[in-house]
Structures are given as structure tokens and as C-alpha cells.
Amino acid sequence: MDKSLHLDSVIKTHQITKEEQLLNKHKDKNKEVKEALEQKYESNIYSPFNSGSYAKNTAMNTKFDFDMVCPFKRNAFGSNGTLKQMYEDVFDFLYEKYKDDANVRKQKVSIGIEFFADEDGDIVKIDVVPGRELNQDQYKDDENLNLYVYYKYGNFDQGSERIKTNVQAQIKNIKDRATKEKDSIRKVIRLLKVWKNTKYNNPAKSFFLELITIKAFDNKDVSGNLWGKLETVLQYIRDEVTGESFTLKDPGNGSNDLIDTLTTTERQTLSDDMKNMLERIEDNDENIKTYFPENSKFLEEEESDNKYENKGNGFYSNPPKNERFG
Amino acid sequence: MYRINELGLTLEIEDDLLCSLIDIGIKHYPNEFGGFLIGNYSETQTHLIITNTILPNKFKGTPYLFERDTIGIDDKLKQFYAEEPKKYYLGEWHTHPNNLPIPSSTDINAINSIANHPEVSIKNPLMLIIGYDKPKVELGFYVQFKNKLYRYE
């Protein structure tokens, strides 16, 4: 089996444009939520913008990632207002507005709005990330924001008042890579997201996988066909992520280290996952399908002459007397 | 329906049977367990349906090994063959407690041995692995085709 051919099909069948209807529903809801926030907070809010994978063009159709950053003015909740107040106020507003149409819940640094399935069974999910500029009117100049950490997030403690970040710089970080390299990076990121989706409750955030992929491209000779590139990135994660001195700087704020979003145990698990994956694929190429499955919804049917066959005497068989499985 | 896109071969398994195999495997947890897969082929021989299982009368199961014997299954195989449409031995299933449904080297040896066994008429034996990777149950359907093991998706 040609592993790169399979990986190309994985990307092709996960392309977001394949799900045009659902994508349009997300765009419509996104617009509606944005306008509701602007109407509610008027001059206390800068224009909300998308920061998730859709903005970075690394989205997949099995899980849309619409993150909307809401940049608030420093004094939006009073000159002594806290980040907690900002977070709670936005939550209360969204909860009241959407409680009959969606599950609205508090997440690590965002508020998740998961709309109930519509008549087509489609579910739209938007994560709203409230952030506050560092000083009054400074956001226009530096685009820096402080976020509120609602519950324990790797090594960031619950209630910790701030993760300072610059989301625009994060987006730019991926958008700005040289075109040729950017396509390879995006493909590898997409594949890692497909893998992440096969794992139950994987603690590695998509943004973490994006940054570590970029770091692998910066530090290793990532070349060859698509499998060769992916393999190099997997090896890099396996070898480096547990290192004591390993850092993953947030391009939005050099003093944020994204490695702190994972605990030591989670880092070890991630490294072990990479090791197992590489070993199993080395054992048998077919195992790549377990870790990087195609999206069967969009597989193109292929005609073939292959058949289930017998050895010439019909299909009736007696199984071998003793057989051992492991 | 499960499919190997590269080969154009498909497979289906009845829901009740699948649930029952998963439950039987859980009863033997944390040891491995398994059995024989029974079913039939479409007229075009590009599609197969797994309809039944035969459980072994004699077996040995540990957390990393499952060994079965065919003692006492002959009559059941014949009964299935007498049904209309005829049902055949299609392959084998077994569990992987606390692990993914990825074939071990022992599994690969077993499927090779089955495919090449003189008393086995089918060229393409199936192997279903049920992985209990808490809290999920994951299934891996495989078929031996031209000396290579393919996975259905």
C-alpha cells in the first residue's frame, strides 16, 4: 500500500469544503453570535473575529472548529473589573440568549455554544473566547489580550487571572509561512487533527499540535513524500515532547509556553502514542488506516475485479484444529 | 458497511451479532477470548455478510493470548452449511483487552496459517479484533488477500 496516497485521500475526504451545507450553517450562526455580542456590549467591545482552524485554513469536515475571539476594552466591566467578571458576564449573556436553542457551557478559556441538531441533523458549535486588552485603548496598537482560565488547563491553574496572548499573531504565524512549506505544514497539521479525533478526550489542543508541527519543520529536515514528512514530525514529537527543556512558545506571547497546557503525564502519553503509532505502521502499512482514517462519507467508489475466492472446491471449510491469537 | 477501498471488497455484520460478540468478550475480560465467524458471500463474491458465530468448546485465554481448538464444532458447521442460503466458516474473531484492535505478530501468523491450511477452502479468511481501549470499544476487521492483510474501513 502507498502510505502517501492514503494520506492524500485522508486529507481529501476531510476537506471542509466537502461539507458546504454545514459550513454555511456555521458561518450564519457565527455571524448571528458576533452581532449579538456587538449589540450587547456596544462600545465596550472591539470587533469579534474567528481564530480557530477555519481562520488558519487547517479545518476538517468531521469537526468544525469555529473559535470566536471577543476583544473587550480594559474598562468594559468597570475600571476595577476582573477577568473573571468578564468571563461570567459573557457566559450569562450567551446562556440567557441561547439556553433554549443550545447547550451553553463553560470551557477552559472559552464558552461553548453547541446548538441543538436542526432538521437535517446538523450540529453547529461555536466557542466564544472572551479576552481583554491590557490597557485602555491599547488593543488597536498591540492586539494583546488577557484571557480568563475557567478550569485547570495543563499547568495553568483554575481561576488563574490571565493567559496573555495575541491571537492575531497566532493566526499570522501559520498563514505567513512560505507557500511551498505552508502547504506541507497544513497537510501535516490536518493529519494530526484527524489522529486527535480518533482519540477519546485527547488533551492536546489543536493549537498545540499546530505549534509543535511548525517547530518540527523549523528544527528537522522535513522532506520527502507526505508520509515521509508526517513520519519526521511524529518522530520529532515522540523524541522531544517529554524533554525537560522543551518549550513551545505562543507566537502571540513569547512568555506563554504552550507545553504548560499539558501535564508531565500527558506529555509522556503523547510521546508514547507517537512511538506506538510509528511502530505499528512500521509493522504493517495497513495500520496507518487505524490512526489516519479516511472520512468514509466522501470516499469515491472504485470499481474493481477483486473477489472473495476459494481454492477450487467451494467455500465449505474446516478451520485448522489449533490456532493461537495474541 | 465496512469496505476496503483499494480492493473494492465489502463486508457487513448484523448488529445483534456484533453486540453479542462485544458482550461475550467483556465477560471474559481481562482475558482474551474469541470464536469462529460464520456467514455467506454475495453472488458476485465481492461482498460478505457475517451472520453467526460458533464459540469454541476448548480454549485458553490470558490477557495477551487466546488459543482455541475446533473440538466439537463440526456438527455446528454442517448445520450452518445445510441452511438456505448456505453459511460457511469465514474466519475468526478475538478480543484485545486494554488494547487497540491492531493485529499482533501472533495474529498475523495465525491468519497466514489459516489461509494456507490444506483443509481450509477459502482463500481470504477474515479476522475481527475487538479492542477494549477504555472507555471505547474499537473494531478492526481484516482480510487476508494475496498474502497481505487488509483492513476494512
Side-chain angles (χ1 to χ4, degrees):
Chain A
M1 133 180 219
D2 184 329
K3 294 197 281 293
S4 290
L5 217 57
H6 171 76
L7 294 173
D8 271 329
S9 172
V10 172
I11 291 172
K12 206 168 118 196
T13 57
H14 280 89
Q15 267 169 357
I16 196 166
T17 47
K18 293 259 184 197
E19 283 280 25
E20 206 177 346
Q21 174 183 290
L22 188 55
L23 177 62
N24 284 333
K25 287 177 186 173
H26 269 84
K27 282 181 176 169
D28 290 347
K29 282 287 181 201
N30 195 62
K31 189 164 172 272
E32 182 194 316
V33 173
K34 180 176 181 280
E35 284 170 1
L37 286 162
E38 284 176 323
Q39 209 169 16
K40 155 82 176 159
Y41 292 104
E42 296 179 323
S43 62
N44 284 317
I45 194 172
Y46 297 100
S47 183
F49 61 92
N50 284 358
S51 73
S53 55
Y54 186 65
K56 286 175 281 198
N57 200 10
T58 55
M60 328 183 304
N61 57 12
T62 50
K63 188 171 180 291
F64 286 176
D65 193 4
F66 265 72
D67 291 340
M68 185 194 297
V69 176
C70 298
F72 282 98
K73 295 198 172 170
R74 177 65 184 84
N75 297 331
F77 303 91
S79 54
N80 293 321
T82 62
L83 292 171
K84 185 171 192 297
Q85 280 172 320
M86 165 192 76
Y87 184 91
E88 297 288 350
D89 200 86
V90 177
F91 173 78
D92 290 345
F93 168 67
L94 293 173
Y95 181 80
E96 277 307 313
K97 182 156 180 67
Y98 292 112
K99 66 183 177 193
D100 297 329
D101 307 316
N103 288 316
V104 181
R105 61 173 182 267
K106 294 177 178 177
Q107 302 176 154
K108 288 174 181 169
V109 293
S110 64
I111 293 149
I113 313 172
E114 187 169 324
F115 290 91
F116 304 141
D118 64 11
E119 64 274 15
D120 303 317
D122 289 340
I123 294 171
V124 171
K125 187 171 182 295
I126 292 169
D127 290 341
V128 175
V129 185
R132 192 182 67 183
E133 66 184 351
L134 276 57
N135 292 299
Q136 190 69 14
D137 300 326
Q138 197 180 317
Y139 177 74
K140 293 190 292 273
D141 302 325
D142 66 7
E143 295 176 332
N144 283 329
L145 293 170
N146 279 326
L147 310 181
Y148 178 70
V149 181
Y150 174 64
Y151 68 82
K152 188 168 163 52
Y153 180 23
N155 291 338
F156 291 105
D157 284 334
Q158 175 180 350
S160 103
E161 268 287 292
R162 54 199 62 199
I163 298 181
K164 186 182 147 205
T165 193
N166 184 321
V167 183
Q168 297 288 14
Q170 290 173 356
I171 297 173
K172 216 164 169 284
N173 184 42
I174 295 172
K175 277 195 165 173
D176 277 3
R177 303 298 291 242
T179 310
K180 197 176 161 199
E181 192 191 18
K182 182 175 69 186
D183 279 350
S184 300
I185 292 175
R186 279 183 183 163
K187 281 185 176 175
V188 172
I189 290 172
R190 283 200 171 116
L191 290 168
L192 284 174
K193 288 184 177 180
V194 170
W195 165 76
K196 174 178 145 70
N197 241 13
T198 67
K199 304 281 289 179
Y200 176 78
N201 214 2
N202 189 323
K205 296 283 286 178
S206 294
F207 184 42
F208 179 97
L209 296 173
E210 288 166 10
L211 285 186
I212 204 163
T213 303
I214 291 171
K215 191 160 183 183
F217 272 77
D218 285 342
N219 288 280
K220 289 274 170 189
D221 176 20
V222 185
S223 55
N225 59 20
L226 184 52
W227 164 243
K229 286 174 182 152
L230 176 65
E231 187 180 25
T232 307
V233 173
L234 299 180
Q235 288 164 344
Y236 179 80
I237 299 174
R238 175 196 65 193
D239 298 339
E240 301 296 333
V241 76
T242 52
E244 270 184 35
S245 57
F246 185 74
T247 58
L248 211 50
K249 294 284 191 251
D250 176 353
N253 173 9
S255 65
N256 275 351
D257 188 353
L258 263 287
I259 197 70
D260 286 335
T261 62
L262 294 185
T263 63
T264 310
T265 314
E266 288 168 344
R267 285 162 69 171
Q268 187 60 53
T269 305
L270 181 60
S271 169
D272 292 345
D273 280 347
M274 297 295 131
K275 179 173 177 286
N276 285 334
M277 195 181 339
L278 287 161
E279 286 175 358
R280 294 291 79 77
I281 295 170
E282 178 69 30
D283 287 347
N284 182 356
D285 289 354
E286 285 287 305
N287 289 337
I288 202 168
K289 295 178 182 172
T290 304
Y291 302 106
F292 301 98
E294 290 163 309
N295 183 354
S296 54
K297 195 169 167 187
F298 296 110
L299 271 180
E300 283 159 20
E301 303 271 311
E302 278 179 18
E303 289 298 321
S304 144
D305 294 331
N306 293 317
K307 286 180 176 177
Y308 296 110
E309 290 181 296
N310 60 55
K311 296 173 185 168
N313 295 316
F315 282 103
Y316 186 83
S317 305
N318 285 309
K321 181 159 173 49
N322 292 304
E323 217 50 78
R324 179 185 279 203
F325 300 88
Chain B
M1 188 160 71
Y2 296 84
R3 178 181 176 87
I4 302 170
N5 210 39
E6 205 176 335
L7 299 180
L9 297 178
T10 52
L11 166 162
E12 69 181 275
I13 180 166
E14 291 175 5
D15 280 349
D16 290 351
L17 173 64
L18 191 54
C19 293
S20 146
L21 298 185
I22 292 168
D23 287 346
I24 294 169
I26 288 171
K27 282 186 190 138
H28 289 263
Y29 182 93
N31 291 330
E32 291 197 11
F33 186 68
F36 305 93
L37 296 170
I38 306 297
N40 44 43
Y41 301 93
S42 67
E43 254 181 56
T44 56
Q45 290 174 222
T46 56
H47 179 70
L48 65 78
I49 307 170
I50 307 170
T51 57
N52 299 82
T53 184
I54 298 176
L55 301 181
N57 297 313
K58 190 178 167 196
F59 64 91
K60 197 158 71 185
T62 74
Y64 300 103
L65 189 78
F66 169 67
E67 195 174 349
R68 98 296 179 269
D69 191 288
T70 54
I71 197 158
I73 72 157
D74 276 10
D75 287 350
K76 288 177 189 162
L77 282 170
K78 283 175 186 152
Q79 279 167 23
F80 282 124
Y81 183 66
E83 286 185 23
E84 194 53 50
K86 289 179 168 53
K87 290 179 181 172
Y88 308 95
Y89 161 73
L90 301 179
E92 316 238 352
W93 67 275
H94 73 283
T95 60
H96 279 183
N98 302 322
N99 221 332
L100 289 169
I102 287 183
S104 63
S105 52
T106 314
D107 297 337
I108 293 167
N109 289 340
I111 201 81
N112 273 321
S113 141
I114 294 168
N116 296 316
H117 196 278
E119 282 195 41
V120 174
S121 305
I122 51 172
K123 274 191 179 176
N124 314 111
L126 286 182
M127 182 164 64
L128 160 62
I129 304 177
I130 306 176
Y132 299 92
D133 194 21
K134 277 184 180 174
K136 279 198 309 188
V137 174
E138 210 179 307
L139 305 171
F141 286 96
Y142 300 87
V143 68
Q144 183 79 350
F145 195 89
K146 293 182 180 162
N147 295 319
K148 222 181 127 182
L149 194 62
Y150 288 86
R151 181 167 186 170
Y152 295 83
E153 290 179 84

